[in-house]
Amino acid sequence: MKRTIPMPDKCVSAADAAALIKDGDTLTTSGFVGIGVPDELLSAIGARFLETGHPRDLSLVFAAGQGDGKTRGLNHLGHDGLLNRVIGGHWGLIPKIAELAVSGKIEGWNLPQGCISQLYRDIAAGKPGTLSKVGLETFVDPRNGGGAINDISTQAQVELHTLGGDEVLFYPARPLTVALLRGTTADEVGNITMEREALLIDNLAQAMAVRNSGGVVIVQVERIARARTLPARDVHIPGILVDAVVVAKPENHMQTYATQFKQSYTNRMRAPSGESAPMALDARKVIARRCAFELPVNGVVNLGIGMPEGVAAVAAEEGLLEHLTLTAEPGIIGGQPASGLDFGAAINTDAVIPQNSQFDFYDGGGLDLACLGLAQADGDGNVNVSRFGTRLAGAGGFINISQNAQAVVFAGTFTAKGLDVAIEDGALQIRSEGSQTKFIGEVEQITFSGVRASRLGQPVIYVTERCVFELTARGLKLIEIAPGVDLERDILGQMSTRPIIEEVIEMDKRIFTPEEMDLRSELLHVDLPDRIALDASTNRLFLNFEKMRIRTQNDIDAVGALVTKRCSGHGGRVDVLANYDGFRIDEALELRWADMVEDMTERFYGKVSRYSGSAFMRMKLGAVFPEARTHIFETKDQARQFLER
């Protein structure tokens, strides 16, 4: 039954709003880091509890992390007795509540942020819960603990089922009795606009979920307008869903925890170019630069919190932002995402959509690339970013994003705690090694399953300031090393697990110089027509694949289409000379590349000769084209001589 609120209108004080919350209520709150967090309401609840001992034994459900890592946000609720159960996505920003959960003073679960976000919508619709593959073979899987943070958390929050022959996870719906949300302007009947907010998050879904559960919806705003004077198209939370409105003090209604208000974060205007300062050339920038080499032109990319945030800055420096679409999980599409305590905001976006809709897109495979943080990795390629002994960071949206992106880049320093590096004369110098090893024998918690990714053929690399690894069917493989770095001392000597080592190349020297890398020209240079040339006088086709990167099926199709165009009008078969120096192809695409080449061979080719200066590439070519192993050479002259026999 709907709770009755005896008030003449919906505008009340924060203290009166806190009094609406009863012992045992189940709260859900809005926010992403410091964006959209109702600090006025949370502070009032904490103050009332300290004064009266009520409300107590509350349950809390939240999706994204909401706090500054110290005292703000959900940390206002971090008092023994105020909470008894918490289900959340990202815990690293709320240490006061995390400590209660880790110490066993409250029940606690860490579930994927996107699944909680989508669950709000399913609760609103009266559905029994949310079905998803997100979380399979991670710590969220019931076979691996079901996301429980401690031993007293025994009620299952996620169930394993089989549907249509596939394993799926079921996240049961639970009634929500109070929503604490935030907007910009409320009119006297409770219609809410969000024109000065940086994000929409899940406000509408949460309000509907609580309203349809018979609960109370309380919204914090900056100002009050006359009833029904707000433009209908600007109303994000209709007044029929809102029970109470609280006007906040400015200090409790910052746009982000780093910025009181910035017009460009509302995305109602576009910021001028050059507003963001370039990054200093340090380990963080080295990592971001190497990650930027993986950016897919015209693709859609997610950048996670922490180390990956720098990729946006590098992309801006290199003039790449207009040639790809960066996104962030709270609903940002396009533009340049912000970092630090501004994370979640962005400037010059194409759109800002609800968080649950963003995760629909992510979970369905909409991301061409995800670049995410790296805290621990093991020899199988498993990654942990969520739990380290008694330190509870939480998974946030990491599981949704990493599990479903078409390709993944994990980014982080090679060691932690005390690492000091310098970049001088185009090389990396390790002045002081970090005391904490990141590449270990077995991760403490599986936030990303390398075993699952390898089995499903998902391309994954691991980027650090001193080297790069690739996930293979046999586990982690070292593929690149930074100039100035010693393999034995600086890499193998700092790992608890030994990677596969075959052929290792040097990381691009441009990464370690202060000048711009001119990455835009490299990634955007459409030179395929120049790579495929037919000399009709010698009846010979030249394929120059030097330093070419094949990332997608579209790349393969483009090569096949151009070869067909060159050869179909020739009137006979052609001999082929193919240069594979520096050629790279994602492992999952190798067989598709071979199928394309076989098709071209059947239709157009006579004798085929291939060459590469890399012994490892020659070995791979021999595996992909086993019938032509004797036609794969080290030099161009050797390959040409074969055709002239």
PDB file of all heavy atoms in Angstrom, residues 542-560:
ATOM      1  N   PHE A 542      50.917  -7.371 -56.503  1.00  0.00           N
ATOM      2  CA  PHE A 542      51.742  -7.038 -55.341  1.00  0.00           C
ATOM      3  C   PHE A 542      50.825  -6.674 -54.162  1.00  0.00           C
ATOM      4  O   PHE A 542      49.998  -5.767 -54.271  1.00  0.00           O
ATOM      5  CB  PHE A 542      52.671  -5.867 -55.665  1.00  0.00           C
ATOM      6  CG  PHE A 542      53.685  -6.182 -56.725  1.00  0.00           C
ATOM      7  CD1 PHE A 542      53.415  -5.914 -58.059  1.00  0.00           C
ATOM      8  CD2 PHE A 542      54.901  -6.771 -56.394  1.00  0.00           C
ATOM      9  CE1 PHE A 542      54.343  -6.203 -59.042  1.00  0.00           C
ATOM     10  CE2 PHE A 542      55.828  -7.068 -57.368  1.00  0.00           C
ATOM     11  CZ  PHE A 542      55.553  -6.793 -58.700  1.00  0.00           C
ATOM     12  N   LEU A 543      50.992  -7.389 -53.049  1.00  0.00           N
ATOM     13  CA  LEU A 543      50.214  -7.144 -51.832  1.00  0.00           C
ATOM     14  C   LEU A 543      51.172  -6.659 -50.751  1.00  0.00           C
ATOM     15  O   LEU A 543      51.994  -7.428 -50.245  1.00  0.00           O
ATOM     16  CB  LEU A 543      49.508  -8.424 -51.372  1.00  0.00           C
ATOM     17  CG  LEU A 543      48.569  -9.081 -52.390  1.00  0.00           C
ATOM     18  CD1 LEU A 543      48.006 -10.377 -51.821  1.00  0.00           C
ATOM     19  CD2 LEU A 543      47.445  -8.135 -52.788  1.00  0.00           C
ATOM     20  N   ASN A 544      51.075  -5.390 -50.393  1.00  0.00           N
ATOM     21  CA  ASN A 544      51.953  -4.808 -49.385  1.00  0.00           C
ATOM     22  C   ASN A 544      51.192  -4.679 -48.060  1.00  0.00           C
ATOM     23  O   ASN A 544      50.509  -3.689 -47.813  1.00  0.00           O
ATOM     24  CB  ASN A 544      52.453  -3.442 -49.841  1.00  0.00           C
ATOM     25  CG  ASN A 544      53.364  -2.802 -48.797  1.00  0.00           C
ATOM     26  OD1 ASN A 544      53.867  -3.479 -47.906  1.00  0.00           O
ATOM     27  ND2 ASN A 544      53.558  -1.503 -48.903  1.00  0.00           N
ATOM     28  N   PHE A 545      51.325  -5.678 -47.197  1.00  0.00           N
ATOM     29  CA  PHE A 545      50.639  -5.682 -45.904  1.00  0.00           C
ATOM     30  C   PHE A 545      51.573  -5.221 -44.775  1.00  0.00           C
ATOM     31  O   PHE A 545      51.291  -5.491 -43.601  1.00  0.00           O
ATOM     32  CB  PHE A 545      50.108  -7.076 -45.586  1.00  0.00           C
ATOM     33  CG  PHE A 545      49.084  -7.573 -46.570  1.00  0.00           C
ATOM     34  CD1 PHE A 545      49.100  -8.892 -47.000  1.00  0.00           C
ATOM     35  CD2 PHE A 545      48.111  -6.731 -47.073  1.00  0.00           C
ATOM     36  CE1 PHE A 545      48.152  -9.353 -47.905  1.00  0.00           C
ATOM     37  CE2 PHE A 545      47.165  -7.180 -47.979  1.00  0.00           C
ATOM     38  CZ  PHE A 545      47.184  -8.499 -48.398  1.00  0.00           C
ATOM     39  N   GLU A 546      52.665  -4.536 -45.123  1.00  0.00           N
ATOM     40  CA  GLU A 546      53.629  -4.122 -44.111  1.00  0.00           C
ATOM     41  C   GLU A 546      52.979  -3.201 -43.077  1.00  0.00           C
ATOM     42  O   GLU A 546      52.329  -2.215 -43.406  1.00  0.00           O
ATOM     43  CB  GLU A 546      54.802  -3.394 -44.766  1.00  0.00           C
ATOM     44  CG  GLU A 546      55.899  -3.020 -43.777  1.00  0.00           C
ATOM     45  CD  GLU A 546      57.110  -2.407 -44.455  1.00  0.00           C
ATOM     46  OE1 GLU A 546      57.063  -2.210 -45.694  1.00  0.00           O
ATOM     47  OE2 GLU A 546      58.093  -2.127 -43.753  1.00  0.00           O
ATOM     48  N   LYS A 547      53.144  -3.576 -41.797  1.00  0.00           N
ATOM     49  CA  LYS A 547      52.628  -2.830 -40.641  1.00  0.00           C
ATOM     50  C   LYS A 547      51.111  -2.640 -40.699  1.00  0.00           C
ATOM     51  O   LYS A 547      50.562  -1.735 -40.067  1.00  0.00           O
ATOM     52  CB  LYS A 547      53.318  -1.468 -40.511  1.00  0.00           C
ATOM     53  CG  LYS A 547      54.801  -1.590 -40.181  1.00  0.00           C
ATOM     54  CD  LYS A 547      55.435  -0.224 -39.956  1.00  0.00           C
ATOM     55  CE  LYS A 547      56.908  -0.367 -39.606  1.00  0.00           C
ATOM     56  NZ  LYS A 547      57.561   0.943 -39.407  1.00  0.00           N
ATOM     57  N   MET A 548      50.433  -3.474 -41.438  1.00  0.00           N
ATOM     58  CA  MET A 548      48.973  -3.387 -41.516  1.00  0.00           C
ATOM     59  C   MET A 548      48.368  -4.114 -40.324  1.00  0.00           C
ATOM     60  O   MET A 548      48.878  -5.142 -39.878  1.00  0.00           O
ATOM     61  CB  MET A 548      48.487  -4.010 -42.821  1.00  0.00           C
ATOM     62  CG  MET A 548      47.015  -3.814 -43.101  1.00  0.00           C
ATOM     63  SD  MET A 548      46.610  -4.403 -44.773  1.00  0.00           S
ATOM     64  CE  MET A 548      44.852  -4.051 -44.796  1.00  0.00           C
ATOM     65  N   ARG A 549      47.286  -3.589 -39.809  1.00  0.00           N
ATOM     66  CA  ARG A 549      46.600  -4.190 -38.657  1.00  0.00           C
ATOM     67  C   ARG A 549      45.198  -4.596 -39.080  1.00  0.00           C
ATOM     68  O   ARG A 549      44.409  -3.768 -39.537  1.00  0.00           O
ATOM     69  CB  ARG A 549      46.523  -3.199 -37.497  1.00  0.00           C
ATOM     70  CG  ARG A 549      45.717  -3.703 -36.299  1.00  0.00           C
ATOM     71  CD  ARG A 549      46.470  -4.789 -35.565  1.00  0.00           C
ATOM     72  NE  ARG A 549      45.655  -5.377 -34.516  1.00  0.00           N
ATOM     73  CZ  ARG A 549      45.591  -4.920 -33.267  1.00  0.00           C
ATOM     74  NH1 ARG A 549      46.270  -3.847 -32.924  1.00  0.00           N
ATOM     75  NH2 ARG A 549      44.845  -5.528 -32.364  1.00  0.00           N
ATOM     76  N   ILE A 550      44.893  -5.877 -38.951  1.00  0.00           N
ATOM     77  CA  ILE A 550      43.555  -6.396 -39.239  1.00  0.00           C
ATOM     78  C   ILE A 550      42.838  -6.580 -37.913  1.00  0.00           C
ATOM     79  O   ILE A 550      43.221  -7.419 -37.091  1.00  0.00           O
ATOM     80  CB  ILE A 550      43.617  -7.723 -40.016  1.00  0.00           C
ATOM     81  CG1 ILE A 550      44.342  -7.525 -41.346  1.00  0.00           C
ATOM     82  CG2 ILE A 550      42.220  -8.285 -40.238  1.00  0.00           C
ATOM     83  CD1 ILE A 550      43.629  -6.603 -42.308  1.00  0.00           C
ATOM     84  N   ARG A 551      41.798  -5.765 -37.699  1.00  0.00           N
ATOM     85  CA  ARG A 551      41.096  -5.767 -36.416  1.00  0.00           C
ATOM     86  C   ARG A 551      39.710  -6.397 -36.494  1.00  0.00           C
ATOM     87  O   ARG A 551      39.204  -6.907 -35.492  1.00  0.00           O
ATOM     88  CB  ARG A 551      40.926  -4.329 -35.900  1.00  0.00           C
ATOM     89  CG  ARG A 551      42.206  -3.532 -35.747  1.00  0.00           C
ATOM     90  CD  ARG A 551      41.877  -2.067 -35.492  1.00  0.00           C
ATOM     91  NE  ARG A 551      43.048  -1.213 -35.438  1.00  0.00           N
ATOM     92  CZ  ARG A 551      43.667  -0.875 -34.322  1.00  0.00           C
ATOM     93  NH1 ARG A 551      43.221  -1.323 -33.172  1.00  0.00           N
ATOM     94  NH2 ARG A 551      44.722  -0.090 -34.354  1.00  0.00           N
ATOM     95  N   THR A 552      39.055  -6.290 -37.672  1.00  0.00           N
ATOM     96  CA  THR A 552      37.655  -6.700 -37.773  1.00  0.00           C
ATOM     97  C   THR A 552      37.406  -7.462 -39.065  1.00  0.00           C
ATOM     98  O   THR A 552      38.237  -7.455 -39.987  1.00  0.00           O
ATOM     99  CB  THR A 552      36.726  -5.474 -37.758  1.00  0.00           C
ATOM    100  OG1 THR A 552      36.926  -4.725 -38.971  1.00  0.00           O
ATOM    101  CG2 THR A 552      36.989  -4.575 -36.560  1.00  0.00           C
ATOM    102  N   GLN A 553      36.238  -8.092 -39.150  1.00  0.00           N
ATOM    103  CA  GLN A 553      35.834  -8.762 -40.379  1.00  0.00           C
ATOM    104  C   GLN A 553      35.720  -7.762 -41.517  1.00  0.00           C
ATOM    105  O   GLN A 553      35.992  -8.096 -42.678  1.00  0.00           O
ATOM    106  CB  GLN A 553      34.494  -9.473 -40.161  1.00  0.00           C
ATOM    107  CG  GLN A 553      33.989 -10.245 -41.378  1.00  0.00           C
ATOM    108  CD  GLN A 553      34.901 -11.397 -41.764  1.00  0.00           C
ATOM    109  OE1 GLN A 553      35.331 -12.154 -40.903  1.00  0.00           O
ATOM    110  NE2 GLN A 553      35.208 -11.524 -43.043  1.00  0.00           N
ATOM    111  N   ASN A 554      35.354  -6.533 -41.210  1.00  0.00           N
ATOM    112  CA  ASN A 554      35.260  -5.501 -42.247  1.00  0.00           C
ATOM    113  C   ASN A 554      36.607  -5.247 -42.907  1.00  0.00           C
ATOM    114  O   ASN A 554      36.681  -4.996 -44.116  1.00  0.00           O
ATOM    115  CB  ASN A 554      34.711  -4.200 -41.660  1.00  0.00           C
ATOM    116  CG  ASN A 554      33.236  -4.287 -41.328  1.00  0.00           C
ATOM    117  OD1 ASN A 554      32.532  -5.140 -41.862  1.00  0.00           O
ATOM    118  ND2 ASN A 554      32.772  -3.422 -40.447  1.00  0.00           N
ATOM    119  N   ASP A 555      37.703  -5.305 -42.121  1.00  0.00           N
ATOM    120  CA  ASP A 555      39.039  -5.139 -42.689  1.00  0.00           C
ATOM    121  C   ASP A 555      39.347  -6.254 -43.682  1.00  0.00           C
ATOM    122  O   ASP A 555      39.915  -6.020 -44.754  1.00  0.00           O
ATOM    123  CB  ASP A 555      40.095  -5.125 -41.580  1.00  0.00           C
ATOM    124  CG  ASP A 555      39.957  -3.929 -40.650  1.00  0.00           C
ATOM    125  OD1 ASP A 555      39.382  -2.910 -41.073  1.00  0.00           O
ATOM    126  OD2 ASP A 555      40.425  -4.029 -39.506  1.00  0.00           O
ATOM    127  N   ILE A 556      38.995  -7.477 -43.308  1.00  0.00           N
ATOM    128  CA  ILE A 556      39.221  -8.623 -44.194  1.00  0.00           C
ATOM    129  C   ILE A 556      38.404  -8.474 -45.469  1.00  0.00           C
ATOM    130  O   ILE A 556      38.901  -8.679 -46.581  1.00  0.00           O
ATOM    131  CB  ILE A 556      38.863  -9.934 -43.474  1.00  0.00           C
ATOM    132  CG1 ILE A 556      39.783 -10.144 -42.267  1.00  0.00           C
ATOM    133  CG2 ILE A 556      38.948 -11.122 -44.429  1.00  0.00           C
ATOM    134  CD1 ILE A 556      39.420 -11.334 -41.408  1.00  0.00           C
ATOM    135  N   ASP A 557      37.144  -8.092 -45.302  1.00  0.00           N
ATOM    136  CA  ASP A 557      36.269  -7.926 -46.465  1.00  0.00           C
ATOM    137  C   ASP A 557      36.788  -6.848 -47.408  1.00  0.00           C
ATOM    138  O   ASP A 557      36.684  -6.970 -48.634  1.00  0.00           O
ATOM    139  CB  ASP A 557      34.849  -7.579 -46.007  1.00  0.00           C
ATOM    140  CG  ASP A 557      34.175  -8.719 -45.254  1.00  0.00           C
ATOM    141  OD1 ASP A 557      34.644  -9.859 -45.377  1.00  0.00           O
ATOM    142  OD2 ASP A 557      33.187  -8.446 -44.548  1.00  0.00           O
ATOM    143  N   ALA A 558      37.362  -5.776 -46.838  1.00  0.00           N
ATOM    144  CA  ALA A 558      37.879  -4.684 -47.671  1.00  0.00           C
ATOM    145  C   ALA A 558      39.044  -5.153 -48.531  1.00  0.00           C
ATOM    146  O   ALA A 558      39.154  -4.797 -49.712  1.00  0.00           O
ATOM    147  CB  ALA A 558      38.295  -3.515 -46.790  1.00  0.00           C
ATOM    148  N   VAL A 559      39.934  -5.968 -47.941  1.00  0.00           N
ATOM    149  CA  VAL A 559      41.056  -6.506 -48.712  1.00  0.00           C
ATOM    150  C   VAL A 559      40.545  -7.414 -49.826  1.00  0.00           C
ATOM    151  O   VAL A 559      40.953  -7.311 -50.993  1.00  0.00           O
ATOM    152  CB  VAL A 559      42.033  -7.264 -47.795  1.00  0.00           C
ATOM    153  CG1 VAL A 559      43.105  -7.970 -48.629  1.00  0.00           C
ATOM    154  CG2 VAL A 559      42.679  -6.312 -46.795  1.00  0.00           C
ATOM    155  N   GLY A 560      39.617  -8.317 -49.480  1.00  0.00           N
ATOM    156  CA  GLY A 560      39.068  -9.227 -50.482  1.00  0.00           C
ATOM    157  C   GLY A 560      38.370  -8.495 -51.612  1.00  0.00           C
ATOM    158  O   GLY A 560      38.505  -8.862 -52.794  1.00  0.00           O
TER     159      GLY A 560
END
